């Protein structure tokens, strides 16, 4: 049988593209060597957010007395086995949902590893798949440090950490990026003694500095050790302890170490050379603005083409690519894709940071409003936070950056405005319900618009 499109990888990029292609009337086959849902569903976004929800529940229970809710006997404790089984149930449920979606959309799902055997020829377990177009959505995998090799037990990636059934007493996280900070906040809420070592001079280096500074302060206040401008020089594990030597010369011991220093394109086993698909210097698949690779009829989307490595970006790119292939105009806009970070407090960002605006010589005005100015924040006992909106001199929103309760939700309004060219004053003239946190975004937009 000839397919209109063969998709390699059933993560959030591949499976969403498959469904969109099927909706557009295409005959679709999707090949996946692991479980449908990719890293996001099986070892990333979903399992971490399920664990974070448990950590938040514990945190809420601990502070309940402040709200007049008391626990007269004993204290709230964590049953980590239950936490893990809840997470596994959620993942299994959603995984099952994807397979059902393939069936209801008439998408053929093949379990196996696809590889190129010619320019536009792919094989799975020796069998040729005949497709007019090929979409590569194979995602990303871990970057391993030569002096900090993961062993799956003591020194691990977040993949293995997500399968822990017991919590360590103390933990070193190497890399203060998105994964490192999300894990640090969650593990601290579970009661683990956490230290983060970050190579640059700030955690979350690409995030608006004022926002990452607030997070750093909050993490320190929660008891997380933050060591910046430092790397791990050497590590050795013995008898349930990992001995670490930092680049500062300091020696420390930890029960477990999580390495989270970024991800690289996953092209292993794909045999791109057989096709002639060009890679970038950093090993990502090189594509043009319409996700076309150097080989006619072969496309690539998601983590495998590089940053930003976000599930919803992969999905949006997948939709844009198949719409382009099957002749439907796409309205994808990379700049207005929001980025959520599920730290405590959480972060939501869209558009450019003040650092990027300055670097590019773009003039802008900033509105900055603290959560503490908002009635609902006080009612919820969540006054730590800030909304920052940058607007251009023409009033267009150039970037919005939020730290605080529900930041990952609130950022959607700023993304909607940016995507649809609604100026800052458009946010201001939209009535925001009182009392809600959304009022803080409108207040910051007002200041940034100079009104
Ligand atoms: P990252 O790029 O976000 O962070 C890696 C960090 O490690 C950086 O701060 C970097 O400076 C630091 N680092 C690099 N080498 C180091 C070394 N030798 N010693 C100490 N620090 C070092 O990467 P990540 O946290 O591994 O996440 C991978 C990808 O997954 C990212 O692109 C991220 O956006 C994505 N992700 C997104 C979410 C979300 O949207 N909520 C959640 C998790 C992961």
């Amino acid at each position: 049988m000839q397919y209109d499109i063969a998709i390699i990888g059933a993560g959030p990029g591949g499976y969403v593209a498959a469904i969109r292609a099927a909706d557009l009337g295409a005959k679709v086959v999707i090949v996946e060597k692991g479980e449908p849902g990719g890293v996001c569903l099986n070892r990333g976004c979903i399992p971490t957010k399920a664990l974070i929800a448990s950590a938040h529940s514990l945190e809420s229970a601990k502070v309940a007395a402040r709200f007049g809710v008391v626990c007269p006997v004993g204290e709230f404790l964590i049953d980590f086995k239950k936490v893990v089984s809840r997470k596994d149930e959620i993942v299994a449920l959603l995984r099952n949902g994807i397979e059902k979606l393939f069936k209801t959309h008439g998408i053929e799902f093949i379990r196996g590893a696809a590889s190129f055997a010619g320019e536009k020829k792919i094989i799975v377990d020796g069998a040729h798949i005949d497709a007019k177009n090929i979409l590569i959505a194979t995602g990303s995998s871990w970057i391993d440090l030569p002096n900090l090799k993961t062993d799956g037990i003591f020194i691990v990636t977040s993949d293995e950490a997500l399968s822990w059934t017991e919590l360590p007493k103390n933990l070193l996280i190497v890399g203060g990026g998105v994964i490192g900070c999300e894990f640090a906040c969650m593990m601290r809420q579970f009661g683990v003694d956490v230290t983060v070592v970050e190579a640059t001079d700030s955690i979350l280096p690409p995030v608006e500095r004022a926002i990452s500074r607030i997070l750093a302060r909050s993490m320190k206040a929660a008891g997380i050790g933050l060591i910046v401008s430092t790397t791990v020089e050497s590590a050795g594990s013995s008898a349930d302890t990992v001995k670490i030597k930092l680049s500062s010369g300091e020696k420390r011991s930890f029960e477990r170490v999580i390495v989270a220093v970024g991800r690289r394109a996953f092209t292993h086993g794909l045999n791109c050379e057989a096709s002639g698909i060009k890679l970038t210097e950093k090993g990502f698949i090189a594509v043009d603005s319409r996700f076309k690779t150097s080989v006619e009829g072969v496309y690539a989307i998601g983590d495998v083409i590089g940053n930003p490595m976000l599930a919803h970006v992969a999905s949006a790119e997948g939709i844009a690519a198949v719409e382009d292939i099957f002749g439907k105009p796409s309205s994808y806009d990379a700049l207005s894709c929001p980025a959520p970070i599920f730290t405590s407090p959480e972060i939501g960002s869209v558009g450019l940071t003040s650092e990027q605006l300055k670097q590019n010589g773009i003039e802008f005005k900033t509105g900055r409003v603290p959560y503490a100015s908002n009635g609902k924040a006080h009612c919820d006992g969540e006054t730590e936070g800030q909304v920052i909106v940058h607007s251009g001199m023409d009033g267009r929103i150039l970037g919005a950056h939020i730290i605080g309760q529900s930041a990952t939700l609130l950022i959607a309004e700023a993304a909607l405005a940016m995507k649809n060219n609604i100026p800052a004053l458009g946010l201001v003239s939209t009535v925001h319900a009182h009392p809600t946190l959304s009022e803080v975004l409108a207040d910051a937009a007002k200041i940034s618009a100079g009104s």
Side-chain angles (χ1 to χ4, degrees), residues 49 188 229 309 346 378 418:
K49 268 79 252 180
R188 185 66 202 129
S229 307
M309 293 191 185
E346 58 184 43
H378 283 275
M418 283 187 67

Side-chain angles (χ1 to χ4, degrees), residues 44-45 48-49 140 142-143 145 147-148 158 173-183 197-206 227 230-232 259-264 303 307-312 338-343 347 408:
C45 321
T48 42
K49 268 79 252 180
S140 59
W142 295 107
I143 291 178
L145 295 174
N147 48 350
L148 192 61
S158 61
I173 298 177
V174 182
V178 183
I179 294 178
C181 289
E182 285 189 357
F183 262 81
V197 168
E198 162 60 40
T200 68
D201 64 355
S202 152
I203 55 164
L204 297 175
I227 306 175
T230 304
T231 55
V232 170
V259 184
V261 292
R263 298 178 67 87
R264 64 157 68 99
D303 285 11
N307 285 323
M309 293 191 185
L310 295 169
H312 50 280
I341 306 179
F342 295 86
T343 41
I347 293 173
T408 55

